[in-house]
Amino acid sequence: MFRTHVHYLVLLAASSVAIAALFDLSQLQWTLKNQNGSIQIPASGPPSQAHLDLLAAGIITEPLLGINDFTERWVVEENWTYTADLTPFTNLLKSKNPQSTLLLFYGIDTIANITFRGHPIAWVNNQFQQYTFDVSNIVSSPKTKDNNLTVAFESAWFYGLNVTARPDAEFFPGGSGVRTSDNFEYPGVRQWIRKVASDFGWDWGPAFVPSGIYKPAYLVTLSGSQNNGSSHTSTPPISPDGPSSDDSVTGSVFVNELSVDIYKAGQSFAVPPSQTADWVVNVTLALRSATPLSSSTLTLSFPELNLTSKPFHFPNIPVAMKDSFWIGTTWTIPDTIPQRWYPHNLGTPKLYNLTVDLRRSGGGHAAGNLLSFTTTTGFRTIELIQSPYTQEDVEQRGITPGDNWHFEINGKAFYSLGTNIIPFDPFYARTTTDQVRWVLESAVRSGQNMLRIWGGGTYQPSDSSVAGGVYDFYSICDELGILAWSELIFSDSLYPINDFLLESIEPEVRQNVRRVNRHPSNVQWAGGNEIEGIITAANQSLANGTHYLNEYVTLFQDFLQGIVASETRSVPYTDCSTTKGVLSLDPYVLRFDNGTAGEIYGNGERYNYDASQAFNYSTFPVTRFMNEFGFHSMPSFYSWEEVLTSPEDFSFNSTVVMSRDHHPPAGSLTFPNQNAPQGQFQMTAAVEMWLPTPSTTDTNQTFAQWCWSTQIFHTMTMVSQVAWYRHGAGQGENNLGALVWQLNDIWQGVSWSSIEYSGRWKVLHYGLTGVFSPVAIYPFWTPENETFQALVISDRWEEVQGSAQLTWYDWLGTPLNTTTHDFTVPTLNNSLVFGATGLDSLLPQGKNASDVWLLLNLTAEVNNRTITNEQYFTPVSLAEATLVDPRIEVARREDLSFTLSAKGGVAPWTWIDHPAGTIGIFVDNTTGLPSNGFYLIPGMDRTLNFVLNPALSRIATPNPDQFVVRSLWNNTHL
């Protein structure tokens, strides 16, 4: 049986038999076949991708299992065709008058020919575009023998090879410090294809190069009737929430796109907002209309504010089926009326409902509503400050000369604390809102206020019902109060300046900027990821480097900036994630390396895989903002259980485990990655240098301890870096941003993430919860001159006062001495609470460095609540520390609370693991904050409560006995 799924946009008055509706193409019967027809299977409707339908049919096994990223490469090399029988749709129209019909695809991945009832419709080549085609004439023509919808995909890999083989294809150099896309599995083609860059491989994920109709698709029928009535529309760009309850509405108009841009009067790309100026609400609609409308009015309202605009008049809306007809208006609202939206750590993320009503003007029979919908938005200003520091800043505040590079929310500078987002799954079509919400909520729980949406992935959706989003993203960011740094999809490559590419990019960028405009969480559009550094290296190292520099300027300075600036006034544009900033905003001119020696410009990133330098602050960048920095680690033993299929695979350097280490990338389709030993060695050397080397008589425990120990080092080095950049807010660089690479995982493998693919928190995520605290304490030790500083760091807008305590212990847990220090930290600054020079003067008298460690904690009052924070300092590597058996005892309760007690000695990095099939976090019973991976001290028990996420957990009632406790002692002891 075929089910017809119709969302009624508008139901006409009883005097008319015409209807206007959305017909969901997922309700058709679909088939999938390969080019020679040897595979022909039933397929699910959009959204789907070939791998997912082959999996459902049993042709392949789960792509993330074992080495399927290698054995299933044949799927990449096939041309796949999706075909659907249109009979349920055409039968629906038999008794109706001829309709105007649109064929609507919210996302096609990527190279495809579309045929409708035997008629060629289009060839498409851009994954990130929304496509709308007028098929009215084909629908109204007599039934043909071919009553199918066919989408025939070409292998993106072979398409890329064909394009780059053309004699007019531009050559992009590698080597000489010029990094290009050639270093991933499917090399050298992705810069020619408007497709998720990491689909072709990256150093943290697989290369499946998927294809399919990966977002929802519809047939939209519009009436030519001009009958009177009222309407409530539920169009996909707004909210396809089902049929209207109003049976007297007209259906001649469809909203193809929506943009809501809220900014300050007078604000533009080059003119900063005046905080006291009126708000401007700029609403624009892309309409598809089946009938001309001689006169109509648009009215806007915010019900919560009791605000309604005057009617805005439009004298003529023509028939618009082939292309959209744009209407728009601006509505001015006094500054003081709405409450402003803030990120969660700085205020309230206040949202408002905006209602849009389009009515046919005039009286009598011709009057009536054409459409009405409500969407959410918010009021805020966000600025990227890139102006030069003043002489007063230099002389009175001690700022190093150069340019600002930081964000301001509602006119106030703040510290950006956060991470970087990659795609949530290799197959977009199966990503769920539950999965994404957990990751975003986890970011908020750890104290983050900004996420960077990496430019090698995809444009994140607004929510599942807007523009075929599949899952929610920006809407959750709006709700939770977490800022989203957005990027256009360009990454780590030189890009060609080619007419057919630019023609495809322009609508892609416009559509996505318009869609995201309404979200107050969005903070900027960056042109791409890491490309400015690549082009700078090319310009310096290649004889014809100026040619590539000029191409970069054309694309990222002129072309893309012009598009973004023409579509939004509310957020800034910058050319690249990592950049030296600008020489001028008007005209927009990039700085590149045109700076004065000794001055600081732009932002930075850091990747140093020499573990001996992990805590050497002299190797850390001094920069205004750090937008990327990281180290890699293994996923947990439980994550490996999800994908390893043989007992012999459960080993740190087993073939399958190493095949999932793509760092450094293979640079070819060689399997397994011949460069993986380098990445494995980096993790191994780090563990052996800084932690006891895992080695027990139980091979599974040893493997589990290796995985966990890589995460311990991962945490130690990343927390150290975050603390360093945060303390820069009180130094000459005035650092106001630290975004860790990376937040989420795309599969179960070696990566830089703080959250595993399943949603399980790594040790790092708990570590970030500590170092991202509004007020944090950290020990800075510089071995070269043996200086020690204990600093309290604050990101608060107000002065913070509190008390810090420094206590030395031996490894038996005996307190040796304690000092208490009151502190006052100015706005966005830090305060020295203790300093010493020389290790001997720092250590407790008569104690060896290997026998002692220092606990640092603080208490402060912030916004009428008590903040606590703790960190640890060991004067030697934990590999050299004289650890003793902590003899941890655990009291387990049915309510999933656990009390941990150390009966023998101190247990550094005590960790409790929740069992396979469960997702959740551990929360400290006293502070209510996420807590795990701490120093457990005899006499200082810790009680943790496990908070289960039922939406993601396969096990609803976990057994407390299956929770595993470990510490560094278990690296070498059962």
Side-chain angles (χ1 to χ4, degrees):
M1 294 288 294
F2 304 135
R3 291 177 297 139
T4 58
H5 188 174
V6 180
H7 288 160
Y8 288 95
L9 293 177
V10 282
L11 304 176
L12 296 186
S15 59
S16 171
V17 295
I19 66 168
L22 284 179
F23 185 94
D24 189 338
L25 295 185
S26 69
Q27 303 306 308
L28 298 174
Q29 182 185 45
W30 289 85
T31 59
L32 175 68
K33 67 177 181 179
N34 62 348
Q35 186 163 350
N36 66 13
S38 60
I39 297 174
Q40 186 163 339
I41 58 173
S44 60
S48 192
Q49 288 160 297
H51 284 82
L52 303 181
D53 288 312
L54 293 168
L55 173 62
I59 303 296
I60 62 174
T61 56
E62 165 57 49
L64 298 186
L65 276 178
I67 59 171
N68 281 353
D69 60 315
F70 168 65
T71 60
E72 294 176 1
R73 283 179 177 170
W74 63 271
V75 180
V76 177
E77 298 173 359
E78 280 281 7
N79 295 328
W80 296 100
T81 297
Y82 278 94
T83 302
D85 180 2
L86 288 167
T87 300
F89 172 73
T90 53
N91 283 345
L92 189 69
L93 300 182
K94 281 182 178 179
S95 62
K96 311 300 180 184
N97 291 337
Q99 304 292 301
S100 295
T101 305
L102 300 171
L103 176 60
L104 174 63
F105 292 97
Y106 281 120
I108 296 178
D109 182 12
T110 296
I111 314 299
N113 274 300
I114 304 168
T115 304
F116 187 83
R117 303 189 79 195
H119 295 261
I121 299 299
W123 176 80
V124 297
N125 65 344
N126 190 312
Q127 179 177 358
F128 311 117
Q129 273 194 42
Q130 168 184 324
Y131 295 104
T132 307
F133 306 108
D134 181 6
V135 293
S136 303
N137 292 337
I138 302 173
V139 169
S140 61
S141 64
K143 183 176 179 180
T144 62
K145 292 182 179 180
D146 184 347
N147 196 34
N148 294 325
L149 169 62
T150 301
V151 184
F153 289 91
E154 181 180 351
S155 163
W157 167 233
F158 287 146
Y159 168 82
L161 292 176
N162 290 337
V163 171
T164 55
R166 289 169 54 103
D168 59 345
E170 185 170 6
F171 169 74
F172 293 102
S176 303
V178 182
R179 183 177 62 177
T180 71
S181 62
D182 292 340
N183 60 349
F184 300 111
E185 279 101 319
Y186 289 88
V189 302
R190 63 181 176 81
Q191 62 268 56
W192 294 91
I193 309 174
R194 298 308 299 151
K195 178 173 173 56
V196 171
S198 58
D199 282 352
F200 297 94
W202 220 266
D203 53 1
W204 36 252
F208 287 109
V209 198
S211 62
I213 311 171
Y214 80 112
K215 289 186 176 183
Y218 300 90
L219 281 161
V220 182
T221 58
L222 297 178
S223 167
S225 169
Q226 297 202 35
N227 286 344
N228 67 315
S230 61
S231 75
H232 177 85
T233 184
S234 298
T235 56
I238 314 304
S239 175
D241 53 2
S244 169
S245 60
D246 191 333
D247 62 358
S248 59
V249 296
T250 58
S252 58
V253 177
F254 173 72
V255 181
N256 205 39
E257 289 186 69
L258 163 71
S259 176
V260 178
D261 196 27
I262 300 179
Y263 50 88
K264 287 290 191 171
Q267 179 182 353
S268 69
F269 173 73
V271 179
S274 166
Q275 295 302 317
T276 59
D278 290 342
W279 293 104
V280 177
V281 181
N282 186 343
V283 175
T284 49
L285 304 175
L287 302 179
R288 298 292 177 117
S289 176
T291 186
L293 304 171
S294 58
S295 180
S296 59
T297 60
L298 184 70
T299 304
L300 310 176
S301 62
F302 286 102
E304 299 98 326
L305 296 173
N306 294 317
L307 286 178
T308 301
S309 73
K310 67 178 183 181
F312 300 99
H313 297 277
F314 298 96
N316 178 47
I317 296 177
V319 171
M321 291 297 292
K322 184 177 181 181
D323 296 302
S324 294
F325 180 75
W326 284 88
I327 65 171
T329 191
T330 57
W331 177 26
T332 301
I333 296 175
D335 167 69
T336 56
I337 292 181
Q339 181 180 332
R340 298 194 184 202
W341 185 97
Y342 281 92
H344 69 94
N345 69 326
L346 298 174
T348 301
K350 180 63 178 176
L351 295 172
Y352 292 99
N353 291 308
L354 170 65
T355 298
V356 180
D357 290 290
L358 182 64
R359 295 180 60 86
R360 183 180 292 109
S361 301
H365 187 73
N369 274 15
L370 293 167
L371 60 88
S372 178
F373 63 85
T374 298
T375 189
T376 58
T377 188
F379 294 80
R380 60 87 182 95
T381 67
I382 188 77
E383 298 173 74
L384 175 57
I385 309 300
Q386 299 185 79
S387 57
Y389 279 100
T390 66
Q391 191 63 31
E392 180 182 357
D393 291 328
V394 174
E395 294 177 355
Q396 297 186 17
R397 296 178 55 200
I399 304 295
T400 304
D403 287 358
N404 287 270
W405 209 99
H406 65 265
F407 294 98
E408 290 188 1
I409 184 80
N410 296 320
K412 298 182 72 172
F414 67 98
Y415 202 98
S416 300
L417 297 166
T419 50
N420 289 257
I421 285 276
I422 63 170
F424 295 94
D425 195 282
F427 306 102
Y428 180 103
R430 72 177 181 184
T431 306
T432 69
T433 294
D434 286 339
Q435 171 189 2
V436 174
R437 175 174 283 277
W438 173 251
V439 172
L440 299 184
E441 288 179 342
S442 296
V444 170
R445 286 190 177 105
S446 65
Q448 300 179 44
N449 63 13
M450 183 177 289
L451 300 175
R452 174 177 162 241
I453 303 164
W454 174 69
T458 191
Y459 296 97
Q460 291 295 337
S462 294
D463 57 56
S464 59
S465 63
V466 171
V470 176
Y471 59 90
D472 298 0
F473 184 85
Y474 282 101
S475 59
I476 300 177
C477 292
D478 292 345
E479 169 201 337
L480 297 180
I482 190 161
L483 296 160
W485 162 330
S486 303
E487 294 188 358
L488 308 179
I489 307 304
F490 300 87
S491 183
D492 286 291
S493 179
L494 306 180
Y495 281 84
I497 301 299
N498 178 288
D499 286 344
F500 84 82
L501 197 64
L502 297 184
E503 288 173 3
S504 174
I505 289 170
E506 180 167 358
E508 163 201 324
V509 173
R510 291 192 185 279
Q511 288 174 0
N512 284 285
V513 172
R514 291 167 188 159
R515 174 180 56 81
V516 175
N517 270 344
R518 73 177 174 93
H519 297 285
S521 56
N522 189 34
V523 299
Q524 75 156 336
W525 284 101
N529 169 64
E530 295 183 324
I531 310 173
E532 186 180 302
I534 294 173
I535 200 63
T536 300
N539 187 44
Q540 293 172 345
S541 61
L542 302 175
N544 62 339
T546 302
H547 166 76
Y548 298 107
L549 179 64
N550 290 340
E551 286 196 325
Y552 181 89
V553 167
T554 297
L555 181 57
F556 292 95
Q557 174 181 290
D558 302 335
F559 184 71
L560 294 174
Q561 187 274 340
I563 295 172
V564 173
S566 69
E567 294 291 348
T568 179
R569 293 191 179 194
S570 63
V571 297
Y573 169 91
T574 188
D575 70 305
C576 190
S577 60
T578 307
T579 177
K580 290 294 183 67
V582 298
L583 291 172
S584 167
L585 285 177
D586 187 15
Y588 183 59
V589 180
L590 299 174
R591 178 177 295 279
F592 295 113
D593 274 349
N594 301 312
T596 301
E599 298 192 356
I600 303 177
Y601 305 96
N603 59 16
E605 61 178 52
R606 179 186 188 265
Y607 293 97
N608 188 329
Y609 298 107
D610 179 355
S612 69
Q613 302 302 305
F615 310 103
N616 182 356
Y617 298 112
S618 66
T619 68
F620 290 9
V622 176
T623 182
R624 309 292 192 195
F625 194 109
M626 281 296 293
N627 69 283
E628 266 195 56
F629 54 101
F631 201 91
H632 50 311
S633 66
M634 286 274 188
S636 66
F637 185 89
Y638 294 107
S639 280
W640 284 120
E641 283 188 311
E642 295 168 7
V643 293
L644 299 183
T645 58
S646 300
E648 60 269 20
D649 294 338
F650 287 82
S651 173
F652 191 81
N653 289 316
S654 72
T655 299
V656 180
V657 168
M658 289 189 69
S659 77
R660 287 172 172 262
D661 188 343
H662 290 192
H663 168 72
S668 69
L669 290 171
T670 301
F671 184 90
N673 175 16
Q674 72 274 16
N675 296 322
Q678 295 181 49
Q680 296 289 104
F681 170 77
Q682 290 163 358
M683 291 186 293
T684 302
V687 170
E688 292 177 342
M689 188 176 299
W690 296 103
L691 303 171
T693 301
S695 178
T696 72
T697 56
D698 185 314
T699 56
N700 272 354
Q701 177 179 307
T702 298
F703 179 51
Q705 292 293 129
W706 264 112
C707 295
W708 175 72
S709 294
T710 66
Q711 293 190 22
I712 293 294
F713 174 78
H714 184 203
T715 305
M716 292 168 62
T717 185
M718 297 311 297
V719 167
S720 176
Q721 286 195 65
V722 171
W724 170 262
Y725 303 127
R726 283 194 69 180
H727 109 289
Q731 307 298 316
E733 62 267 31
N734 194 31
N735 181 292
L736 290 177
L739 305 182
V740 173
W741 185 270
Q742 68 202 63
L743 177 60
N744 60 311
D745 255 333
I746 198 170
W747 74 336
Q748 305 90 335
V750 175
S751 85
W752 288 248
S753 74
S754 64
I755 300 177
E756 298 178 16
Y757 174 73
S758 66
R760 181 182 294 266
W761 284 24
K762 284 184 174 179
V763 183
L764 173 58
H765 209 76
Y766 287 99
L768 293 179
T769 302
V771 77
F772 281 163
S773 173
V775 185
I777 190 168
Y778 198 80
F780 292 92
W781 169 253
T782 306
E784 288 88 345
N785 56 14
E786 292 196 341
T787 60
F788 177 88
Q789 290 186 323
L791 295 181
V792 174
I793 304 164
S794 171
D795 67 5
R796 298 295 83 199
W797 280 337
E798 68 278 2
E799 182 179 89
V800 174
Q801 295 180 337
S803 177
Q805 190 175 59
L806 281 62
T807 304
W808 283 98
Y809 291 89
D810 63 20
W811 290 110
L812 289 170
T814 306
L816 303 174
N817 64 53
T818 299
T819 57
T820 300
H821 311 267
D822 294 332
F823 61 80
T824 299
V825 187
T827 300
L828 286 173
N829 213 309
N830 56 77
S831 178
L832 176 68
V833 297
F834 177 78
T837 301
L839 187 58
D840 291 340
S841 67
L842 179 63
L843 296 175
Q845 189 172 3
K847 296 297 182 179
N848 295 323
S850 59
D851 297 331
V852 295
W853 65 279
L854 180 65
L855 171 66
L856 304 91
N857 54 32
L858 65 76
T859 303
E861 294 296 320
V862 175
N863 294 332
N864 298 316
R865 67 186 181 101
T866 301
I867 297 289
T868 61
N869 188 251
E870 72 177 32
Q871 292 292 341
Y872 320 106
F873 170 70
T874 59
V876 298
S877 161
L878 285 167
E880 302 171 23
T882 55
L883 303 180
V884 298
D885 185 353
R887 294 193 291 115
I888 298 175
E889 294 183 1
V890 185
R892 306 167 189 269
R893 303 175 185 86
E894 291 302 317
D895 65 353
L896 300 182
S897 64
F898 303 86
T899 298
L900 283 62
S901 306
K903 300 300 185 181
V906 177
W909 295 105
T910 297
W911 179 258
I912 182 167
D913 250 328
H914 49 91
T918 61
I919 299 299
I921 61 170
F922 294 95
V923 174
D924 187 277
N925 190 55
T926 301
T927 66
L929 297 175
S931 181
N932 209 349
F934 45 78
Y935 280 39
L936 185 63
I937 304 170
M940 299 174 64
D941 297 354
R942 301 265 188 147
T943 298
L944 305 180
N945 303 313
F946 183 67
V947 181
L948 183 78
N949 181 330
L952 297 183
S953 297
R954 300 192 309 273
I955 299 173
T957 56
N959 183 347
D961 292 334
Q962 294 181 343
F963 286 70
V964 175
V965 177
R966 67 180 86 242
S967 75
L968 288 181
W969 183 255
N970 302 115
N971 277 13
T972 51
H973 300 81
L974 293 176

